[in-house]
Structure formats: structure tokens, C-alpha cells
């Protein structure tokens, strides 16, 4: 038989309200009674019914993390950062993959209207062009914190890295290595991170009196063989790029595969930089020069901002942007 | 004001029980009434209160996935497989990392006693030597399905790969390539996968009249620099191994790092095979020969087995072992 508050109340000849208050350490109950109730609860292995208790408290002790994919070292490291904070706070983490689909992102958030989670950490899809579906959570007092891929229009806490500076740094490094025709592989025309990285790229070209050529911006998709063809088409041209920047991790792999197929030598014939957190970057052939993002710390900071909001009366996160810088790690895909 | 079942009942002059049954498509309610209730619910943007509704149904529509870590391509691909099934079934996935700590695994499972989840998918830690803490869920009618890292003593569905055969195949391949002194890097003396892989290794040695040398079994830990030292100590010996099998993904990287530091050439001076699902395996220097596991399909099969149990009256998964085979993919870390 399941031991409930009723069982304890009956055995101790107390009201269920008194037992409940005693278990929750209410100031209305004497220490003596609290001790008696807790001792019996322990003895009978009483476990609170979570659904009943969150119904009363209105809190689920659960947060949601919504990310585009998990097979990417940025996101897997960010998850570790989030989880390190959630576990310390005694919270549970619900975990959703959008696979870069806006429709999926909308369906997931719609479901949160029912009170499944206390707060949301999100890195939006490559398709997300406005925040209407995310804003809808505000009316339910469910705080939302963005990390990495943010929506500018929403007033909340946002944890990002210095994407503009990183785009600039990557481009300047390739120019310093002698590149004059630099391609940028992007994944979205909507995403803040993609746009910021491209703006940095454009500025570096301009500062070096190099022309911007729209044909050098390649929009890849969430489909490896499609990306492979796109990059191959780019690299079989007579005036092919002498440098490529992959703005997301998986695209670096695609560049390597294309170069292998076309027998193009990295870095002598084409130099490659990837935005990537792969620990194996320097075991690659050749070792990959990377813009390395502070993934773990970004996840951690996002979780900290969310828990701050959950402790506030109005649940609304501070409207501020926290920027944690990335670093350029030079390896043999750009220098011999 | 929040729209509740009461609001709908009052507006339609029905009892709350009737409204609730209508919303849940009960056969007791006429189609006409159902349509009236649902139309008003839509019009007033009624969203069911999840905590109240799971209190009544006793189901949370949530499953838990417990894994040792996420920064490993086996687990990230398995997660994708699990999530593909859960999303289709309209279930939510709670996600827990044990970081190979048995104490953490126990604490997580203890919490499930409160009814937070309907079922559990688990791949146990390297420290887990018995299933007492997992069995405790049976009394709560919470089905548990194992994938990859199983507990033999528990009677339930288990999705594994052919670890014994894979250990044998990896060893035989190294012997075929000329190795006579083969080291095996393991992570646990308890884990079924580790023991099975080692038994396959021993059998292949025996079948080839090669002696088994306990000093060639190296137990690594959940600490990269410690593992680096262990492997380095192994490789600076005069009679160092001429072949190494890394039984988990991250250990392949450590072997590469050690060989680089000691200026040992792979594969001429030492041949390396890794149990690994890294897509970048063949971009490594040299490309890594792998035992590649059917990670996505194992995750998917585990989720399917769990949902089958959830649809059964007694919630108990079929006591059977499903084996999905791994494959040997030969690359330049073993052959020139």
C-alpha cells in the first residue's frame, strides 16, 4: 500500500494539513510535532507524490533546454555546463532537439503553456526569424534565457560569444596567411550568430581593401550530402577560394571531405578555419585551425541567469547580454 | 483569468466531469456535446493544467534517459534515436548525466520514486556493480529498459551490440596485421560491455596461440590527464605493445596524443583500433580503424521496447536481449 499524507495523519492522530505543514517545515507547527511526523515518514518510507505536490506549489522543479542538435561538440559541452548548475540546484532538465525546424520549436513551446517546466533555456533554429512563439511564455510567467543563438527582439538575458569579433579575427587570420578570395559557409540568413560572423568577415575584408563578393557566401542546409555538393561546386571553379571559413562545426568536416575527393591540399591550396569545439581538432589531418567557443561556460552562465529569474518574484530575467569571448587557435589547416 | 474546466462547465451549463470527459473523448459523452465543449475550449484558448491532469491519469508522459556522458558520439547518436521515437509518441525526455558516478545514478533513481517519469532508459556507470537501486523502480511499476551498458541480473529488455564478437574481431584484425603484443584499454571491471569486449579479446589471443598478459589490460578512469599518464607509461616500456584497442571513444584520442608526444608512428610502430562512432574518424591523422556501433538504432530500439511496456497493463518490459551488431571499419591506423 502506498504511504500517503493520510496514512501519516491517521497513525499520528493529526490532521492531514498539519502533517503536510510539518513535512514542509511550516513555522505554524511546533518542532516536537515536526520531529514526530518526519520520524514516521522516514520509518514508513514516505515519498511525496510529485504531481500532487507540484500542483500545490505550482512549480515543477524542471527546466527545459531546447537546442538544434546534440551531435555537435558546442552543444554537448553547453549541456554539460547547464547540467552542472541544474544538478546543484536540485532541478531536472527536460531536453528537446529541434533539428533546425521552426515548426518543431513552436510545437515544443506551445506544450509548455501547460506548466510542464518552470523555465526555458533556448538556442533557436536556423529557421527562426521572429520570437512570437517564445514571447508567448512570458504571459505564463515562464522565464526564457537565450544562449548562443538568440532573438534580438526579446527582452531577456542572453548569453553569447563575440561572434562579430570572431568572424573578423578568422578572416584577418586568413588574409595574414595570404588568402585573397575567402568563402564563408553559413547556415542561415536569420540567425544572429550567422549574421554577426558575416558582418565581422565583411569588415575585415573592407579593412584590407579586399572586395566583398556575394558568391563567396554559401548558405548550407541541414543535409550533409547537399552541403557536400555545394562545397564541391564552389571548389571546382577556376577561380576557387583560397580560404574558407566554416561558421558551424559540421561544415569543417564537409570541407575536408571535399578537399580529399578533389585532391586539394590543405593548407597549401586552400586554407580552412572552423568554428568548432572538437577536442580532436588537432588530431585531424591536417590539424584544424579553430575559433573555439566557451561552450561549457556559456551553458553554465545561461543556467545561472535562469535560476536567478526563478528566484525573483516576477520571474523575469534581467534584460542583459553577457558576452563570453571565443579564441582563435591556429593549427596546420592555415599555416604550414 | 485562467480558463479552467470550471470556466468551460459554467459557460456551457454542464458538470465539470462532463467537460473533462468530453475533452478526453470519453465514449460516455455524445459527439454533439464533445464538439460544443471542444469549440469553446479552442475559442477561449483553454490549455489543460498538466500537473492536475497527470495527477488524475497517474501518467506524466515523460521518460528519463540516464547516460554517463553526452560528449561522446555513441551517446549523442543514441539520444537522437531515442528522441526520434519519443517525439513521435508525444512523450517528453528528461535527461540525466551520471558522469560515471554510481552515487549520482542512485540519487537520480531514488527521485523517480515520486512519479516524475513513466519509464526509464539507462546505460549504467562504470562503477555500477549491482542493480538494487534500479530494481527498486519495479515496485513502483516504472519500467526500465537498458541499452549498451546493462545489468545482467535484472529481468527486462536490454538492447546491446555484439561486444564479445567485436572484441574478438578487433583483436583478430590486429593479429592479422602482425601485432603480437596487444594492449586493451578498459574503463571498468564491472561493466558488461567491458567484460564482454575483454573476453572476445582473450579468445582471439588463445585461438592464435598468443599468451594473455594481464599487464596489457589497462583500466582507465574518468580523467583525461590520468589516462594520458597511464598510456604514456605503457608506451615508454622497452617491450611496449605493438597494437592497442581502445574500448571507448575518448581513449582513442588519448592514444593519439601519447603517440604524438613520444614520436611513435601509427601504424608502423603501433597499430590502433577504437570503439568509436566519430564521423571524423577518417579525417584523423592517420584515419582511425574503428569498431562502429549502431548507436542511433540502439537508442531507437530501446525507446520502442520501453513504449511497448508502457502500453502493457503491468508495465513490465519483455525480458529479452536484442543484439544489434557492430562493424569493423578498417582505416590507416592499422594498415598502411
Amino acid at each position: 500500500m502506498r504511504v500517503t499524507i493520510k496514512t501519516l495523519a491517521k497513525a499520528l492522530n493529526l490532521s492531514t494539513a498539519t502533517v503536510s505543514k510539518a513535512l514542509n517545515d511550516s513555522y505554524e507547527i511546533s518542532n516536537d510535532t515536526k520531529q514526530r511526523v518526519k520520524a514516521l515518514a522516514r520509518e514508513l518510507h514516505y515519498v511525496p507524490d510529485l504531481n500532487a505536490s507540484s500542483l500545490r506549489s505550482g512549480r515543477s522543479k524542471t527546466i527545459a533546454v531546447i537546442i538544434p542538435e546534440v551531435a555537435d561538440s558546442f552543444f554537448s559541452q553547453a549541456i554539460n555546463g547547464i547540467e552542472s548548475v541544474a544538478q546543484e540546484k536540485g532541478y531536472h532538465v527536460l531536453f528537446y532537439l529541434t533539428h533546425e525546424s521552426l515548426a518543431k520549436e513552436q510545437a515544443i513551446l506551445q506544450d509548455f503553456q501547460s506548466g510542464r517546466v518552470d523555465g526555458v533555456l533556448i538556442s533557436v533554429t536556423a529557421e527562426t526569424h521572429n520570437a512570437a512563439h517564445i514571447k508567448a511564455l512570458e504571459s505564463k510567467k515562464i522565464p526564457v534565457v537565450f544562449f548562443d543563438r538568440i532573438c534580438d527582439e526579446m527582452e531577456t538575458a542572453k548569453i553569447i560569444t563575440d561572434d562579430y569579433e570572431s568572424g573578423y579575427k578568422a578572416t584577418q587570420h586568413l588574409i595574414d596567411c595570404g588568402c585573397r578570395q575567402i568563402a564563408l559557409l553559413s547556415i542561415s540568413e536569420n540567425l544572429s550568430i550567422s549574421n554577426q560572423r558575416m558582418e565581422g568577415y565583411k569588415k575585415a575584408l573592407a579593412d584590407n581593401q579586399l572586395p566583398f563578393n556575394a558568391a563567396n557566401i554559401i548558405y548550407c542546409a541541414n543535409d550533409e550530402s547537399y552541403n557536400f555538393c555545394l562545397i564541391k561546386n564552389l571548389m571546382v571553379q577556376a577561380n576557387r577560394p583560397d580560404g574558407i571559413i566554416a561558421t558551424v562545426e559540421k561544415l569543417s568536416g564537409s570541407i575536408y571531405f571535399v578537399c580529399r575527393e578533389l585532391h586539394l591540399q590543405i593548407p597549401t591550396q586552400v586554407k580552412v578555419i572552423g568554428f568548432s569545439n572538437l577536442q580532436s581538432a588537432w588530431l585531424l589531418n591536417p590539424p584544424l585551425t579553430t575559433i573555439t567557443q566557451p561552450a561549457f561556460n556559456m551553458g553554465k552562465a545561461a543556467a545561472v541567469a535562469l535560476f536567478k529569474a526563478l528566484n525573483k518574484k516576477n520571474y523575469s530575467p534581467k534584460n542583459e547580454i553577457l558576452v563570453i569571448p571565443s579564441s582563435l587557435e591556429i593549427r596546420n589547416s592555415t599555416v604550414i
Side-chain angles (χ1 to χ4, degrees), chain A:
Chain A
M1 197 197 70
R2 184 176 166 83
V3 176
T4 65
I5 288 194
K6 266 190 196 164
T7 325
L8 300 177
K10 214 166 170 185
L12 294 166
N13 202 17
L14 294 169
S15 73
T16 53
T18 301
V19 169
S20 173
K21 284 175 185 170
L23 289 170
N24 287 306
D25 265 330
S26 163
Y27 66 94
E28 299 172 54
I29 309 296
S30 73
N31 279 335
D32 178 52
T33 306
K34 280 184 199 170
Q35 280 173 16
R36 279 170 57 216
V37 171
K38 288 181 181 177
L40 187 68
R42 258 195 310 276
E43 195 185 322
L44 300 181
H45 302 291
Y46 165 75
V47 179
D49 182 313
L50 185 86
N51 293 322
S53 87
S54 71
L55 185 64
R56 281 191 302 273
S57 71
R59 296 294 275 271
S60 64
K61 281 278 206 179
T62 304
I63 61 168
V65 176
I66 307 175
I67 55 175
E69 54 178 321
V70 67
D72 172 291
S73 65
F74 174 81
F75 287 113
S76 60
Q77 288 168 28
I79 286 171
N80 279 332
I82 290 166
E83 196 255 3
S84 73
V85 179
Q87 209 161 59
E88 192 192 297
K89 300 272 178 191
Y91 265 72
H92 299 256
V93 183
L94 271 172
F95 171 73
Y96 299 86
L97 303 176
T98 56
H99 301 290
E100 305 285 10
S101 153
L102 173 59
K104 232 172 225 180
E105 187 176 274
Q106 288 168 327
I108 293 163
L109 291 171
Q110 168 65 29
D111 184 80
F112 293 166
Q113 300 272 333
S114 66
R116 186 176 289 278
V117 299
D118 297 342
V120 174
L121 294 173
I122 186 168
S123 205
V124 299
T125 80
E127 294 179 354
T128 305
H129 46 76
N130 73 56
H133 57 301
I134 310 174
K135 277 189 182 157
L137 293 179
E138 282 179 346
S139 65
K140 299 280 174 180
K141 303 222 175 219
I142 299 172
V144 178
V145 170
F146 289 92
F147 68 102
D148 194 44
R149 300 172 170 204
I150 66 175
C151 286
D152 285 320
E153 63 186 283
M154 231 178 113
E155 298 199 342
T156 182
K158 297 160 192 165
I159 318 298
I160 58 174
T161 180
D162 54 349
D163 292 297
Y164 175 88
E165 290 76 6
S166 298
Y168 189 99
K169 234 185 310 189
T171 313
Q172 184 64 53
H173 173 63
L174 287 176
I175 296 170
D176 292 344
C177 294
C179 298
R180 290 298 172 265
Q181 175 90 298
I182 301 169
L184 183 90
L185 307 189
S186 180
I187 53 161
S188 168
E189 298 191 53
N190 309 314
L191 274 181
S192 53
I193 54 163
S194 302
N195 293 333
Q196 289 293 311
R197 288 168 194 179
M198 184 159 64
E199 289 307 315
Y201 158 86
K202 284 182 180 170
K203 182 70 166 68
L205 290 182
D207 284 356
N208 289 274
Q209 288 81 45
L210 288 172
F212 168 72
N213 176 357
N216 279 333
I217 305 292
I218 310 292
Y219 287 102
C220 296
N222 195 25
D223 175 337
E224 267 177 61
S225 28
Y226 174 79
N227 295 341
F228 182 88
C229 293
L230 270 185
I231 300 169
K232 195 172 161 186
N233 287 344
L234 177 74
M235 298 309 287
V236 292
Q237 296 171 57
N239 64 339
R240 62 159 193 267
D242 52 10
I244 312 185
I245 301 170
T247 60
V248 300
E249 183 169 287
K250 64 181 172 198
L251 297 176
S252 305
S254 302
I255 298 171
Y256 272 56
F257 282 120
V258 168
C259 289
R260 189 165 294 211
E261 176 154 317
L262 297 177
H263 303 289
L264 285 172
Q265 295 293 326
I266 306 171
T268 43
Q269 294 177 281
V270 56
K271 302 188 197 322
V272 182
I273 295 189
F275 280 70
S276 170
N277 282 47
L278 265 187
Q279 286 190 298
S280 58
W282 79 276
L283 299 176
L284 296 180
N285 184 19
L288 177 68
T289 294
T290 58
I291 295 287
T292 303
Q293 296 158 283
F296 183 90
N297 285 333
M298 287 171 71
K300 207 169 154 178
V304 166
L306 183 64
F307 284 114
K308 264 193 199 152
L310 288 173
N311 284 330
K312 279 166 66 176
K313 212 171 169 185
N314 63 1
Y315 298 124
S316 105
K318 210 165 168 184
N319 180 25
E320 64 182 1
I321 297 184
L322 175 63
V323 183
I324 311 181
S326 294
S327 58
L328 170 66
E329 301 191 1
I330 299 173
R331 303 193 186 86
N332 298 115
S333 66
T334 53
V335 294
I336 298 167

